[in-house]
Amino acid sequence: DTEVTQTPKHLVMGMTNKKSLKCEQHMGHRAMYWYKQKAKKPPELMFVYSYEKLSINESVPSRFSPECPNSSLLNLHLHALQPEDSALYLCASSQDIFSSGGGTEAFFGQGTRLTVV
Amino acid sequence: ELKVEQNPLFLSMQEGKNYTIYCNYSTTSDRLYWYRQDPGKSLESLFVLLSNGAVKQEGRLMASLDTKARLSTLHITAAVHDLSATYFCAVEYGGATNKLIFGTGTLLAVQP
């Protein structure tokens, strides 16, 4: 099973709302990621969790708050977003993030298409 | 800061033709991945290249990695319409704590 499940698939939220994106994987992967993708652009890394600890924050604004409750779950809490934050948010997981013989092939979820109004 | 560039950004080709997409990156890495993305969809892993000289083939697609030249290629043989999608290369970067940096993407449109 190489599935990463994201919910919801679509989300429309106002600039004063608080919402959360959820991501789940059952592949036993110890690294999980949030990426943001604008239309016709490559995915941009936001956060990396390794063994449930935040390992990388790519200078993301604090209105985005990640959380990793356990090794299978990753959340992204959203608060006071701006219209320019509208994008496809992709969750991914990989075996781990450390240099290893197997590399760190990432498996992506279907994404949440977020619209901020 | 690692930069990953793909060439071309847009490729329109006829069915049955061959073509190559190039992925250049700016700093040392010996791990590179190719992904496919259909419009409005997620990313599908195509190839994992983990060493200099690695070559992988799946159907009409073949990927290779030259770490000395910092170059990967994705070769398309006898294109078919089903291959129409955006293709991204992604370079593993960062030393002990690795992360994937994606290339600019190549939008491939295969015309009948």
Side-chain angles (χ1 to χ4, degrees):
Chain A
D1 180 10
T2 56
E3 191 170 305
V4 177
T5 304
Q6 288 186 245
T7 56
K9 288 188 170 42
H10 301 274
L11 178 62
V12 179
M13 62 184 289
M15 289 188 282
T16 58
N17 290 160
K18 285 185 184 181
K19 296 286 184 183
S20 297
L21 309 185
K22 296 186 184 304
C23 175
E24 190 168 3
Q25 58 89 13
H26 294 289
M27 294 178 277
H29 288 171
R30 303 317 300 264
M32 297 185 77
Y33 312 80
W34 282 114
Y35 282 84
K36 173 183 176 179
Q37 187 179 24
K38 302 281 274 185
K40 301 187 191 303
K41 296 291 187 184
E44 294 178 1
L45 183 65
M46 300 174 71
F47 302 104
V48 180
Y49 271 83
S50 173
Y51 290 82
E52 299 158 50
K53 287 186 168 42
L54 184 63
S55 180
I56 296 175
N57 176 343
E58 293 286 87
S59 303
V60 178
S62 60
R63 57 186 184 269
F64 296 90
S65 175
E67 179 197 17
C68 189
N70 61 55
S71 60
S72 300
L73 293 174
L74 185 66
N75 298 323
L76 185 63
H77 303 298
L78 314 172
H79 174 54
L81 295 193
Q82 304 296 310
E84 58 264 30
D85 295 322
S86 299
L88 181 68
Y89 287 84
L90 293 162
C91 173
S93 71
S94 67
Q95 196 72 34
D96 63 42
I97 61 169
F98 302 108
S99 295
S100 65
T104 56
E105 181 185 11
F107 296 89
F108 285 81
Q110 292 299 306
T112 294
R113 187 159 300 281
L114 174 68
T115 304
V116 182
V117 297
Chain B
E1 181 71 20
L2 173 65
K3 282 186 167 36
V4 185
E5 294 184 346
Q6 289 180 231
N7 184 10
L9 297 181
F10 176 70
L11 175 56
S12 179
M13 56 190 297
Q14 285 187 314
E15 281 191 326
K17 299 290 187 183
N18 305 333
Y19 210 84
T20 300
I21 299 169
Y22 298 89
C23 172
N24 292 275
Y25 53 99
S26 61
T27 61
T28 302
S29 175
D30 57 4
R31 297 165 188 261
L32 189 140
Y33 306 82
W34 283 96
Y35 287 88
R36 168 184 171 145
Q37 187 175 37
D38 291 297
K41 303 291 186 184
S42 187
L43 292 124
E44 174 190 356
S45 179
L46 293 176
F47 298 109
V48 177
L49 303 169
L50 299 179
S51 61
N52 185 40
V55 178
K56 295 277 183 75
Q57 181 161 9
E58 179 74 32
R60 300 173 189 275
L61 300 178
M62 183 172 72
S64 65
L65 178 60
D66 181 343
T67 58
K68 291 182 171 57
R70 299 177 186 169
L71 171 69
S72 179
T73 61
L74 180 66
H75 187 72
I76 303 151
T77 301
V80 293
H81 180 68
D82 284 353
L83 290 179
S84 297
T86 298
Y87 292 85
F88 291 100
C89 62
V91 177
E92 191 173 299
Y93 170 69
T97 305
N98 292 329
K99 55 186 178 182
L100 284 184
I101 304 298
F102 280 80
T104 43
T106 296
L107 175 57
L108 173 66
V110 180
Q111 312 295 340

